[in-house]
Amino acid sequence: MKTPVVFSLVREQSVFMTVIMALLTFLSVIALGVAIAIGTGVARWNTQWDLMATVQVMPGQNMETTTKILDANKDKIASVKKISSDEMTELMRPWISGGGAAMKNYLPEMYEIKLNKKADMKSLADKFSGNARFLSHSAAMSPATGAGWRMIAIAGLILTMALGAIGVCISFIARNTALLHRRELEILNQVGARDNFVARQMQIIVGKISITAAIAGFVAATPVLLLILSAAHHARVGLMAMMALNGAAWTLLAAMPIAISIIAIWITGRTTLNILKNS
């Protein structure tokens, strides 16, 4: 036989708690999903460029020395591509007014190289020092990587604030409900009901609301995350195009509503027990 609940939340409290829990779960899932997606993008971005570097020989520098260094280190280099003047002019066109013909005399000779091992990057940079400008792609792209980490930190802050707000709301509602039902609590104490029994009644109520709200929040957040990833991929711009959520990430996101429900139930029990002990 099903054990009846001794008391319950009033309708206004139930509606408020369901809505606020669903909204905070939505924000938590979005924040965690964005953080994971950007983190995946940063990892892919760094891996993509770890072996790539550019060698730039400015006008007036010794081109022959640079060529000799490249030839002497063929065992460390997987590929070498010389960027033509036309290609460089095309790359610079958005920042050049009045045509790029006049710029050809000022553009460097440029080689794009790919190394076999990341460990050879520093030694090769030392050899080019003073003869040409050696710039690793990972170093050149560090501002984008830094921006990615800052966005992850912002998403983490939003997640922390959402979880904190959930804790505050649950604690307030549990305390308010206990005060509203002070008379019932007194009767329960008089008939010998233990504090754990009363706390369990509150946990049942909050648990049902939390699970319903958590599912609603996750279902609402899923298409939004897919839309964010789709927009990032269609942008085809640097780090954004690298963002992704794999199977493990979606599993972690699905676990977030479960974790929120467990936290809500635990906070309810602790708050109710503290109120009963101090009353």
Side-chain angles (χ1 to χ4, degrees):
M1 182 177 178
K2 185 176 179 181
T3 303
V5 178
V6 177
F7 54 85
S8 62
L9 300 177
V10 296
R11 184 177 182 277
E12 289 77 8
Q13 284 183 320
S14 298
V15 173
F16 169 78
M17 186 173 177
T18 302
V19 172
I20 198 69
M21 285 287 290
L23 176 60
L24 292 174
T25 300
F26 171 84
L27 292 176
S28 299
V29 174
I30 290 292
L32 181 60
V34 169
I36 295 174
I38 295 176
T40 302
V42 170
R44 288 181 173 182
W45 180 266
N46 290 336
T47 301
Q48 178 185 12
W49 301 119
D50 273 350
L51 300 176
M52 302 293 294
T54 299
V55 178
Q56 300 176 5
V57 184
M58 301 303 295
Q61 289 183 319
N62 193 338
M63 184 66 198
E64 184 178 351
T65 303
T66 299
T67 304
K68 287 181 179 179
I69 295 174
L70 290 173
D71 291 338
N73 291 274
K74 285 183 177 180
D75 58 323
K76 299 178 181 179
I77 300 175
S79 64
V80 179
K81 177 186 177 183
K82 183 177 181 180
I83 308 299
S84 68
S85 297
D86 291 337
E87 289 176 314
M88 292 182 62
T89 302
E90 186 63 28
L91 290 172
M92 297 293 292
R93 190 179 300 279
W95 293 272
I96 299 174
S97 60
M103 289 293 295
K104 289 188 177 181
N105 295 328
Y106 303 96
L107 293 175
E109 294 283 343
M110 186 178 295
Y111 293 89
E112 185 179 79
I113 65 175
K114 182 176 181 181
L115 303 181
N116 292 317
K117 295 186 298 184
K118 183 181 177 181
D120 294 328
M121 188 73 72
K122 187 178 184 306
S123 63
L124 204 59
D126 292 338
K127 292 178 181 179
F128 280 107
S129 179
N131 298 303
R133 186 186 181 197
F134 184 91
L135 182 64
S136 66
H137 285 197
S138 58
M141 302 301 178
S142 59
T145 302
W149 286 118
R150 286 191 291 273
M151 287 188 285
I152 291 173
I154 293 171
L157 177 61
I158 294 174
L159 175 60
T160 302
M161 293 174 64
L163 294 177
I166 289 174
V168 171
C169 289
I170 295 297
S171 179
F172 174 79
I173 290 175
R175 184 179 299 275
N176 192 36
T177 301
L179 293 176
L180 287 174
H181 294 278
R182 183 183 295 274
R183 180 59 180 167
E184 290 90 330
L185 294 178
E186 292 176 354
I187 295 174
L188 288 172
N189 286 331
Q190 290 173 4
V191 300
R194 295 184 177 182
D195 290 349
N196 287 334
F197 172 80
V198 178
R200 196 174 301 114
Q201 305 305 306
M202 280 294 298
Q203 287 178 312
I204 292 172
I205 299 166
V206 173
K208 290 179 179 179
I209 293 175
S210 298
I211 293 172
T212 301
I215 293 173
F218 179 78
V219 170
T222 298
V224 176
L225 280 175
L226 293 175
L227 184 62
I228 292 172
L229 292 176
S230 176
H233 293 164
H234 279 86
R236 300 183 182 275
V237 177
L239 182 61
M240 293 178 63
M242 301 287 180
M243 291 171 55
L245 291 173
N246 56 24
W250 281 110
T251 300
L252 184 60
L253 290 175
M256 173 63 73
I258 299 174
I260 289 175
S261 299
I262 293 174
I263 291 172
I265 293 170
W266 179 79
I267 291 175
T268 300
R270 295 289 299 177
T271 302
T272 305
L273 288 175
N274 289 334
I275 293 172
L276 293 174
K277 289 178 181 179
N278 295 327
S279 61

